[in-house]
Amino acid sequence: MEATRPSLMPGWTALLWKHARQHQLAALGLGVSLLTVFWLLGQSLLEIFTDTASPGLRYAMLGGLAGFLTTSLGAFPALILRSIPQKLEDSLLGLAAGMMLAASAFSLLLPGLAAGAEITGSKGLGAAIVVLGMGLGVLLMLGLDEFTPHEHDKTGPCGPGHERCGRVWLFVFAIALHNLPEGMAIGVSFSQADLAVGLPLTTAIALQDIPEGLAVALALRGADFPAGKAVLVAILSGFLEPVGALLGVGLSSGLAFTYPLGLGLAAGAMLFVVSHEVIPETHRNGHQTSATLGLMAGFALMMVLDTTLG
């Protein structure tokens, strides 16, 4: 009698366990950050089920929807465009990176420091809570990057078990690593229903999602995906924004100190993505000056938005 083919799950479990033993620090960091995230999210779900949810939940969902819509808007030109000049693409991604950096500083870290100082009565202790959140955000993204099979257009596939996944899923996972912290940032910023914090951040993320959506769709087309599938995958990736927003608002709607902690976590995750993924991508093709100028323009634009809308 022919041997039964082993199920996929034990294979994945063994593979991830082996990878964890080879990267123990990353595995430990991911475990700690995920436990913290699930604990804080559990508080929010409890509030939702007991009808004591924060009014910021509706704002957060609308903000996440805005990110999804602008990602879709950016992806549509790929139906007729197969590529744009690399220099222009790097400049647009630099613009997105600058807006994310400024959003992390002005709309996440500064409000987090202010909230932490108010809650604890000490600027130093308040800053320590925000820094702790940043560390958790970095550990979360570092762990997800290490343990999620994904593929980037220029650097190829990476992560445990990437050879078992279809190429389209590898691209989807890579996009998810970008969009999830953006959605989390939107959710955290609206968790206290404070439009002065959430509106400029959401506006910045929604605007920078346009070039990001285009870059993702064009990268998929450059990897020989049909135009319709490339645009569809890029659009579907935008669903991670409202999902991340739900997670983010949950992280910061429980105990008082979770608000500055959540702001720090979202900022740390976004800073990791910008430094680890976006900026290196814009500097890979010899257009560092154009990308840097785009980054400065994006940073300045976000600073103006924060001043105007905040």
Side-chain angles (χ1 to χ4, degrees):
M1 186 175 189
E2 187 178 349
T4 305
R5 185 179 177 181
S7 64
L8 184 63
M9 183 57 70
W12 275 108
T13 302
L15 186 67
L16 291 174
W17 179 247
K18 178 182 178 181
H19 196 76
R21 285 184 296 176
Q22 293 173 343
H23 302 83
Q24 294 182 13
L25 287 178
L28 179 62
L30 179 62
V32 170
S33 60
L34 284 178
L35 284 174
T36 304
V37 165
F38 288 143
W39 171 56
L40 296 175
L41 181 60
Q43 293 184 90
S44 174
L45 293 176
L46 180 63
E47 291 185 14
I48 291 174
F49 289 133
T50 56
D51 294 326
T52 58
S54 165
L57 180 61
R58 181 168 61 91
Y59 292 144
M61 289 297 95
L62 289 174
L65 180 62
F68 165 69
L69 292 176
T70 52
T71 299
S72 304
L73 180 64
F76 275 119
L79 287 172
I80 56 176
L81 295 174
R82 187 173 182 85
S83 66
I84 59 175
Q86 188 64 56
K87 186 175 183 179
L88 175 60
E89 181 176 341
D90 289 340
S91 299
L92 290 175
L93 286 177
L95 181 77
M99 296 188 75
M100 290 176 71
L101 284 175
S104 299
F106 297 124
S107 297
L108 293 173
L109 293 178
L110 289 181
L113 291 171
E118 182 178 352
I119 291 168
T120 64
S122 166
K123 291 184 177 180
L125 188 55
I129 292 176
V130 175
V131 170
L132 175 62
M134 288 181 65
L136 290 171
V138 171
L139 288 175
L140 176 65
M141 296 311 299
L142 187 62
L144 290 175
D145 184 72
E146 183 65 50
F147 284 90
T148 303
H150 58 285
E151 178 172 356
H152 299 289
D153 183 38
K154 298 294 191 300
T155 58
C158 54
H162 62 78
E163 67 280 353
R164 302 186 181 191
C165 299
R167 202 173 182 207
V168 65
W169 284 108
L170 292 177
F171 274 105
V172 168
F173 291 148
I175 297 164
L177 292 176
H178 282 235
N179 285 351
L180 185 64
E182 294 176 7
M184 288 173 57
I186 291 174
V188 171
S189 68
F190 277 126
S191 62
Q192 305 299 304
D194 188 351
L195 293 180
V197 175
L199 188 58
L201 176 72
T202 301
T203 302
I205 289 178
L207 288 175
Q208 63 90 33
D209 275 336
I210 297 175
E212 275 198 357
L214 177 60
V216 167
L218 292 179
L220 291 168
R221 292 214 62 187
D224 297 325
F225 285 87
K229 179 179 281 190
V231 172
L232 179 61
V233 170
I235 289 174
L236 290 177
S237 75
F239 276 116
L240 268 295
E241 301 265 350
V243 170
L246 177 61
L247 179 61
V249 76
L251 295 179
S252 302
S253 58
L255 300 175
F257 79 90
T258 62
Y259 179 54
L261 185 74
L263 288 170
L265 190 151
M270 286 182 63
L271 289 172
F272 178 90
V273 168
V274 171
S275 178
H276 191 68
E277 302 285 352
V278 182
I279 291 178
E281 187 70 25
T282 64
H283 285 218
R284 233 175 232 125
N285 306 295
H287 305 130
Q288 295 92 327
T289 300
S290 299
T292 301
L293 291 176
L295 186 147
M296 298 299 295
F299 195 97
L301 176 59
M302 177 57 203
M303 186 167 57
V304 172
L305 287 173
D306 187 79
T307 303
T308 305
L309 301 176

